[in-house]
Amino acid sequence: MEICYVLDASAFINGFEISSKRNFTVPEITEEIKDFESRLKLDAAIDQGLLVIQDVASQYLFCVHDIIYESGDILRLSFPDKKLIALAYMLSQRGEHVKVITDDYTIQNTLKIMDIDYSGVITEGIKGIYNWKKICEGCKKEYPEDYKFDDCEICGSKIFKKRIKVNK
């Protein structure tokens, strides 16, 4: 079965060579590509029929939301990143052999949890799975991902995102 590539903006920015005709991305990712050379590569791939701009049904966004939330990656992923992950999930659910091309470690972390193949262009990629927690610098109280303030409600210290390795 031929690989179906899902391309992040970093694929174009970092020089991924498109050699397959089965390449996909979401509309929001195309908006992230701002530099002239990367935009030329993107436009050429679209014009040559090598890249399909594919939107994602909301049901797939809902499916990946829980995984993204539980891992804490929700703290670090943009909406386009979430849609890209949902696209990879949607294609894999349709029986495609999917490989996501991204140098974004947070996207790679979520894909690793979901057991979806990925590869970087200029990076080796992550080795382990990590979760993220919001924690107070002072009293070490943990906060939920949706806590909206930057300061601890108990001691007033700054809240930061802490990476926690998962043994898998």
Side-chain angles (χ1 to χ4, degrees):
M1 177 184 291
E2 189 179 356
I3 295 175
C4 178
Y5 292 97
V6 175
L7 306 179
D8 186 16
S10 64
F12 295 96
I13 294 166
N14 295 329
F16 177 71
E17 293 295 327
I18 295 177
S19 59
S20 165
K21 291 188 179 189
R22 298 175 41 85
N23 302 284
F24 298 84
T25 196
V26 294
E28 292 80 0
I29 292 296
T30 65
E31 295 167 17
E32 291 184 343
I33 300 173
K34 306 246 189 271
D35 70 279
F36 183 72
E37 187 176 331
S38 301
R39 176 55 69 179
L40 282 176
K41 290 177 190 173
L42 171 72
D43 291 342
I46 293 168
D47 291 344
Q48 295 168 11
L50 298 175
L51 179 66
V52 176
I53 309 299
Q54 175 75 50
D55 216 340
V56 181
S58 58
Q59 71 190 54
Y60 294 103
L61 279 166
F62 289 127
C63 288
V64 300
H65 181 267
D66 289 342
I67 294 165
I68 293 169
Y69 186 84
E70 285 178 28
S71 71
D73 286 331
I74 199 161
L75 299 171
R76 301 172 53 89
L77 290 171
S78 67
F79 181 68
D81 295 340
K82 294 172 193 173
K83 280 194 77 174
L84 189 81
I85 293 165
L87 174 61
Y89 177 71
M90 179 181 84
L91 293 170
S92 68
Q93 291 299 297
R94 292 180 178 172
E96 299 287 352
H97 179 204
V98 176
K99 187 170 199 173
V100 179
I101 306 300
T102 182
D103 285 311
D104 185 313
Y105 289 156
T106 307
I107 292 174
Q108 291 178 4
N109 191 63
T110 302
L111 294 169
K112 191 169 189 79
I113 292 167
M114 297 174 68
D115 201 27
I116 294 175
D117 285 342
Y118 60 87
S119 180
V121 180
I122 61 172
T123 63
E124 284 186 40
I126 62 169
K127 302 290 185 245
I129 295 174
Y130 295 92
N131 285 348
W132 295 88
K133 300 280 183 191
K134 280 188 173 181
I135 298 177
C136 171
E137 281 182 331
C139 69
K140 307 298 183 215
K141 175 179 168 58
E142 288 188 20
Y143 285 90
E145 284 79 9
D146 58 356
Y147 184 72
K148 293 178 174 58
F149 303 104
D150 294 330
D151 300 322
C152 178
E153 64 190 5
I154 295 172
C155 71
S157 295
K158 290 277 183 210
I159 295 173
F160 69 100
K161 300 170 194 168
K162 181 177 181 179
R163 186 173 80 162
I164 300 165
K165 185 166 175 122
V166 176
N167 295 324
K168 282 193 177 181

